[in-house]
């Protein structure tokens, strides 16, 4: 049952083959049994989940509801959930119970989904490995010695291990796509502005975007259908109509033009990962697509540009954590400045403090032009590369990450090596285009994700392309051994 | 680019982070390596390029100047470390 798709489970719920309460209990039991090995959840909201499941069963009995009604999902612990602990993976928010609901979780709840709990994540979404959580590292269900990727690693591990049917994630520099790739699931980062950021705890406001993570493109389409759309509570929300993501899945791929950026296949890419990606591209050719080499010449600059812009925005966004209104406060402060400084030093972990300081430096007097403004100019060059390329092709394909999931602890002492892991994902966030990760094979027993990038607001096209691939492959149907039999 | 320990303490103060000597040592190394990484940007000529701050180049949407929020004082105070008489309490700031 835990391996079934949203569409199949929705049908079973409607046919009364299973109730939402039974399905929710099944997942809660699996979490209890399996999650101690993975640490993918920070909070398990079992009482609330069963209440929501009962309500979903009542709705289904009356013949109402959506495809998500009664489906157990998990939310990254970065979305504010009214009345449920929301920590953002940080000691700073270890006691924070939001008095309001994020638009994303609210819309999913309105669609009738059941919230199993909140998933583990890199603190304030800063990380590529999920080793930066106050609640401990998450493990990859395909190999418990490896990272699940970050920062939505808890969501990715939970879905891969069948501890939720689907989950929410957020992607500031690759935090949906890279963990989806490392854990062998499907995840999509929509166009910036497509999904409301209201109630998401902000890391870098001009880059952050929420999206669904699930076993398949079809399941992602069901979840995105509920999440996407204009929200007046978010001043950066795009007033562009959404498409029907589910009904668009079946369109044939004949005539699809795929661009392969030569910069994505150069030095640094593991040769077995490259072979896996090229094998996936061949599958698309069999489905009627044509392939063209393209160039994204400023790819290498996405790392320095991102690591100025994101920390700069973070240094501003995280200034609200001062111990006055919510969250951690140090003991016996001697004055206000002492309270601010000790509260923040105690509440934030090392990676967060480092990024705040990089951002503070980049925005400080005398450095603003050389760092922040320069990075914003390079950002335009990166965007122009994508606009030019997407004039010539329908979608761009390449790897999500240079390697498969790496060992826990293997990169923690070299921040630059860790940052280079994001080379293929960061530029997408700087440009604001949508992109997704689709399971495309295995290297030495670890999953490899194919990245599919598209034009602004072309989420329906990306999901269609991914779904057609998944109709002819079964990489997305594989389950890690540790998740079977429980 | 390399920064010294004094620079680290200065940045930490601006960021309102209390660092020990040991912390400053560690951050000196890691901040220097990140700043060296971002130095790569300086090799690119960006003369005449307009900075891009929002990927959709959107401008801030305005709304009518009317009150839309209800008073939720109790809900917001419920998360505060210290409150009294409906107010947030902080260490004394005026002698």
């Amino acid at each position: 049952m835990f391996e079934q798709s949203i569409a199949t489970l929705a049908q079973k719920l409607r046919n009364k083959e299973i109730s939402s309460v039974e399905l929710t209990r099944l997942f809660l039991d699996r979490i209890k049994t399996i999650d101690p090995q993975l640490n993918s959840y920070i909070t398990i909201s079992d009482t609330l989940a069963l209440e929501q499941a009962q309500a979903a069963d009542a709705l289904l009995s009356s013949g109402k509801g959506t495809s998500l009604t009664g489906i157990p999902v998990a939310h990254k612990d970065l979305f504010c959930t009214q009345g449920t602990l929301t920590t953002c993976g940080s000691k700073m928010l270890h006691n924070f119970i939001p008095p309001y609901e994020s638009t994303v979780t609210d819309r999913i709840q309105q669609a009738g989904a059941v919230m199993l709990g909140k998933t583990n994540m890199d603190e304030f979404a800063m990380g590529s490995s999920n080793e930066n959580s106050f609640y401990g590292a998450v493990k990859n269900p395909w190999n418990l010695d490896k990272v699940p990727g970050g920062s939505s690693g808890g969501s990715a591990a939970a879905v891969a291990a069948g501890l939720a049917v689907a989950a929410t994630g957020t992607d500031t520099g690759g935090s949906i796509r890279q963990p989806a790739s490392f854990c062998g699931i499907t995840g999509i980062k929509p166009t910036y502005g497509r999904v409301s950021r209201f109630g998401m705890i902000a890391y870098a406001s001009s880059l952050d975007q929420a999206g669904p993570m699930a076993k398949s493109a079809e399941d992602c389409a069901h979840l995105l259908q509920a999440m996407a759309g204009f929200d007046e509570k978010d001043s950066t929300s795009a007033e562009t109509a959404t498409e029907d993501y589910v009904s668009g899945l079946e369109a044939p791929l004949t005539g699809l033009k795929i661009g392969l950026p030569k910069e994505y296949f150069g030095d640094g890419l593991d040769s077995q990962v490259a072979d896996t990606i090229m094998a996936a591209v061949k599958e698309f050719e069999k489905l009627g697509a044509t392939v063209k080499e393209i160039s994204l010449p400023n790819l290498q600059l996405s790392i320095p540009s991102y690591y100025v812009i994101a920390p700069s925005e973070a240094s501003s966004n995280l200034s609200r954590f001062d111990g006055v209104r919510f969250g951690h406060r140090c003991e016996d402060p001697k004055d206000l400045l002492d309270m601010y400084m000790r509260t923040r030093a105690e509440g934030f972990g090392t990676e967060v403090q480092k990024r705040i300081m990089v951002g503070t430096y980049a925005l400080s007097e005398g450095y603003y032009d050389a760092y922040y403004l320069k990075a914003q100019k390079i950002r335009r060059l990166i965007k122009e590369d994508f606009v030019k390329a997407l004039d010539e092709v329908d979608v761009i394909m390449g790897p999500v990450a240079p390697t498969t999931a790496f060992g826990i602890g293997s990169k923690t002492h070299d921040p630059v090596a860790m940052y280079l892991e994001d080379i293929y994902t960061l530029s997408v966030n700087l440009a604001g285009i949508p992109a997704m990760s689709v399971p495309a094979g295995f290297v030495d027993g670890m999953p490899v994700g194919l990245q599919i990038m598209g034009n602004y607001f072309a989420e329906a096209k990306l999901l269609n392309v991914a779904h057609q691939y998944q109709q002819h492959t079964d990489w997305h149907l594989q389950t890690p051994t540790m998740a079977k039999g429980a | 680019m390399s920064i010294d320990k004094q620079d680290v303490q200065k940045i930490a103060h601006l960021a309102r982070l209390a660092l020990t000597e040991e912390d400053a040592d560690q951050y000196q190394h890691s901040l220097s390596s990140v700043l060296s990484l971002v130095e790569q940007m300086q090799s690119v000529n960006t003369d005449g390029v307009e900075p891009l701050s929002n990927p959709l180049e959107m401008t801030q949407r305005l709304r009518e100047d009317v009150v839309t929020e209800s008073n939720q004082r109790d809900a917001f105070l419920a998360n505060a470390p210290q409150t009294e008489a409906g107010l947030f309490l902080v260490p004394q700031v005026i002698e």
Side-chain angles (χ1 to χ4, degrees):
Chain A
M1 194 63 72
F2 71 90
E3 291 171 299
Q4 306 281 339
S5 70
I6 288 177
T8 307
L9 289 171
Q11 199 58 48
K12 286 182 190 292
L13 287 166
R14 275 186 172 68
N15 294 345
K16 300 211 182 312
E17 289 173 53
I18 190 167
S19 70
S20 177
V21 168
E22 288 167 331
L23 191 61
T24 301
R25 283 217 172 95
L26 184 149
F27 276 93
L28 290 170
D29 286 347
R30 284 182 61 79
I31 293 169
K32 206 178 290 175
T33 313
I34 295 173
D35 203 47
Q37 296 175 74
L38 292 178
N39 196 28
S40 69
Y41 279 85
I42 289 173
T43 301
I44 302 160
S45 48
D46 42 6
T47 307
L48 177 67
L50 290 166
E51 282 171 18
Q52 290 179 339
Q54 274 178 350
D57 281 333
L59 198 65
L60 289 163
S61 291
S62 67
K64 293 179 186 160
T66 72
S67 59
L68 289 182
T69 304
I71 304 290
V73 302
H75 292 306
K76 185 174 182 176
D77 205 21
L78 169 154
F79 293 97
C80 286
T81 42
Q82 190 168 16
T84 299
L85 185 69
T86 299
T87 71
C88 218
S90 180
K91 178 182 177 184
M92 186 60 93
L93 289 175
H94 69 97
N95 55 1
F96 179 60
I97 297 175
Y100 58 94
E101 189 80 21
S102 78
T103 296
V104 162
T105 51
D106 185 43
R107 287 183 176 178
I108 291 171
Q109 194 179 319
Q110 294 300 324
V114 170
M115 181 178 82
L116 293 167
K118 308 291 290 290
T119 53
N120 205 345
M121 55 180 285
D122 281 306
E123 185 180 6
F124 287 102
M126 297 181 190
S128 309
S129 65
N130 228 300
E131 293 165 290
N132 301 329
S133 168
F134 176 63
Y135 300 92
V138 177
K139 293 175 180 171
N140 191 313
W142 291 96
N143 180 337
L144 298 177
D145 294 327
K146 307 265 188 185
V147 302
S151 65
S152 312
S155 290
V159 172
L163 306 186
V165 179
T168 49
T170 65
D171 192 313
T172 306
S175 289
I176 285 175
R177 290 160 287 156
Q178 186 247 28
S181 173
F182 281 8
C183 292
I185 66 162
T186 308
I188 180 166
K189 181 209 91 76
T191 309
Y192 178 79
R194 173 80 296 173
V195 173
S196 171
R197 293 187 303 107
F198 177 80
M200 267 171 64
I201 296 170
Y203 162 19
S205 304
S206 79
L207 302 162
D208 295 340
Q209 185 60 197
M213 305 175 79
K215 293 263 191 192
S216 66
E218 185 186 17
D219 282 3
C220 284
H222 282 283
L223 211 57
L224 187 62
Q225 196 86 45
M227 294 165 76
F230 174 67
D231 177 19
E232 65 180 16
K233 291 183 195 161
D234 171 6
S235 64
T236 58
S237 176
E239 294 185 75
T240 310
T242 54
E243 292 178 71
D244 186 332
Y245 301 116
V246 179
S247 68
L249 293 170
E250 301 303 334
L253 300 188
T254 318
L256 182 80
K257 287 186 210 154
I258 298 172
L260 293 184
K262 60 183 178 190
E263 293 82 4
Y264 274 55
F265 294 90
D267 292 345
L269 176 62
D270 178 277
S271 63
Q272 292 185 89
V273 171
D275 291 346
T276 308
I277 298 303
M278 290 314 295
V281 172
K282 290 264 180 255
E283 281 293 326
F284 283 100
E285 286 185 295
K286 283 187 211 164
L287 296 174
T290 55
V291 174
K292 180 182 179 181
E293 186 183 90
I294 58 164
S295 179
L296 298 169
N298 292 298
L299 176 76
Q300 287 293 341
L301 293 170
S302 58
I303 295 179
S305 173
Y306 176 89
Y307 280 103
V308 169
I309 293 170
S312 294
E313 294 185 9
S315 74
S316 171
N317 277 326
L318 272 60
S319 64
R320 70 190 59 159
F321 299 103
D322 56 9
V324 174
R325 290 148 299 152
F326 49 79
H328 176 73
R329 179 186 286 189
C330 69
E331 290 286 331
D332 301 321
K334 68 177 194 300
D335 55 34
L336 196 62
L337 185 64
D338 180 52
M339 186 186 85
Y340 291 155
M341 295 191 64
R342 282 202 289 125
T343 292
R344 289 164 61 81
E346 291 169 14
F348 293 136
T350 311
E351 184 63 28
V352 174
Q353 292 194 30
K354 189 172 70 194
R355 294 196 195 191
I356 288 173
M357 284 193 277
V358 170
T360 302
Y361 184 77
L363 292 176
S364 63
E365 191 183 356
Y367 298 100
Y368 179 87
D369 285 2
Y371 287 94
Y372 187 70
L373 213 57
K374 184 85 178 177
Q376 297 282 42
K377 289 179 176 184
I378 287 172
R379 183 178 194 178
R380 181 172 296 278
L381 299 178
I382 290 165
K383 175 181 171 164
E384 284 172 356
D385 285 351
F386 276 111
V387 170
K388 192 174 160 210
L390 288 163
D391 267 351
E392 299 173 29
V393 296
D394 299 312
V395 292
I396 298 171
M397 290 189 186
V400 173
T403 61
T404 56
F406 46 87
I408 291 173
S410 66
K411 294 191 190 231
T412 41
H413 298 296
D414 187 350
V416 171
M418 187 78 91
Y419 293 174
L420 293 174
E421 277 292 314
D422 300 332
I423 178 78
Y424 303 130
T425 51
L426 295 177
S427 52
V428 160
N429 299 75
L430 291 166
I433 59 169
M436 64 189 298
S437 176
V438 180
F442 289 83
V443 168
D444 299 330
M446 297 306 293
V448 175
L450 166 73
Q451 186 169 199
I452 311 175
M453 295 157 265
N455 223 326
Y456 294 93
F457 301 107
E459 289 81 13
K461 169 57 75 183
L462 295 189
L463 290 164
N464 164 226
V465 168
H467 177 70
Q468 290 304 309
Y469 175 73
Q470 290 180 338
Q471 296 305 292
H472 295 86
T473 57
D474 65 357
W475 305 116
H476 63 294
L477 299 176
Q478 309 302 312
T479 302
T481 309
M482 63 87 65
K484 291 178 183 165
Chain B
M1 179 178 172
S2 176
I3 54 171
D4 62 29
K5 227 157 74 174
Q6 228 177 341
D7 291 330
V8 175
Q9 286 291 9
K10 190 179 158 196
I11 300 164
H13 182 78
L14 290 172
R16 298 294 183 261
L17 290 166
L19 296 192
T20 63
E21 282 295 300
E22 198 186 330
D23 292 337
D25 273 340
Q26 285 177 4
Y27 285 123
Q28 183 192 352
H29 172 72
S30 56
L31 289 178
S32 293
S33 57
V34 175
L35 292 174
S36 297
L37 176 78
V38 304
E39 276 298 307
Q40 287 173 31
M41 294 190 306
Q42 307 309 334
S43 64
V44 183
N45 183 355
T46 52
D47 290 349
V49 178
E50 277 291 302
L52 177 69
S53 56
N54 179 306
L56 303 179
E57 306 201 53
M58 288 165 65
T59 50
Q60 187 82 1
R61 196 174 61 249
L62 300 176
R63 63 166 174 83
E64 290 296 307
D65 185 17
V66 290
V67 176
T68 54
E69 285 294 319
S70 54
N71 184 358
Q72 298 180 65
R73 177 194 269 183
D74 291 343
F76 292 133
L77 286 173
N79 271 302
Q82 258 188 300
T83 61
E84 194 176 293
L87 301 168
F88 295 105
L89 280 191
V90 295
Q92 185 175 348
V93 284
I94 299 168
E95 292 299 324

